[in-house]
Amino acid sequence: MSDVDVAKAFYEGLGFRLDADFPVSDKEFRVVQLTPPGSECSIIFGDGVTTAEPGSVQGLHLVVDDIVAARDELAGLGLDISEVFHDADGVFHHAGTGNRVSGPHPARADYGSFASFSDPDGNGWVLQEVKVRAPGR
């Protein structure tokens, strides 16, 4: 992250739970861990945590059971988030914005409806609607 405090405030503003903020040394190593609401998975960022360029992570997925409600909730928090979309070819989606069709998947098929947003550094997130996981998952 280019500014850890800005990123931390952004994710907390979306309702992510702060699990840890450990400044180990002044601007050389700091670890921040946050967990999305209702999730068992967390994100970690900070100073000295990775050599990746800020904004270089794309396609991070957050699975939700109601894409329209989740998108509206995040928009209500002030997030600049895309409209709900589905892919012209069916299930899943292409990278970038190509092949997007406005609105949820026509049959509201699991894994087929999306909305996207970016964090302050430009890292790309995708909400994906899944009500019932595929067998064995």
Side-chain angles (χ1 to χ4, degrees):
M1 294 283 151
S2 57
D3 186 320
V4 176
D5 290 319
V6 168
K8 178 182 166 188
F10 172 80
Y11 288 109
E12 286 182 309
L14 298 181
F16 284 42
R17 181 188 69 231
L18 178 65
D19 298 319
D21 186 351
F22 299 117
V24 179
S25 60
D26 189 35
K27 283 292 188 183
E28 291 179 25
F29 191 62
R30 176 180 175 191
V31 177
V32 175
Q33 178 174 322
L34 296 117
T35 301
S39 179
E40 295 298 319
C41 294
S42 302
I43 60 169
I44 294 177
F45 56 85
D47 293 317
V49 174
T50 180
T51 58
E53 290 294 318
S56 63
V57 179
Q58 300 298 312
L60 296 162
H61 277 63
L62 291 170
V63 173
V64 298
D65 65 0
D66 184 331
I67 192 74
V68 174
R71 188 253 172 229
D72 289 348
E73 179 180 343
L74 290 171
L77 293 172
L79 181 65
D80 182 15
I81 186 168
S82 76
E83 293 300 320
V84 173
F85 65 91
H86 64 280
D87 192 87
D89 292 331
V91 176
F92 221 69
H93 64 88
H94 289 74
T97 58
N99 239 32
R100 288 185 178 185
V101 178
S102 183
H105 185 279
R108 287 302 278 270
D110 288 320
Y111 304 94
S113 299
F114 310 91
S116 63
F117 66 93
S118 295
D119 72 10
D121 281 318
N123 295 301
W125 288 87
V126 178
L127 298 182
Q128 180 181 36
E129 183 175 79
V130 178
K131 293 181 183 296
V132 178
R133 293 199 176 268
R137 297 188 178 103

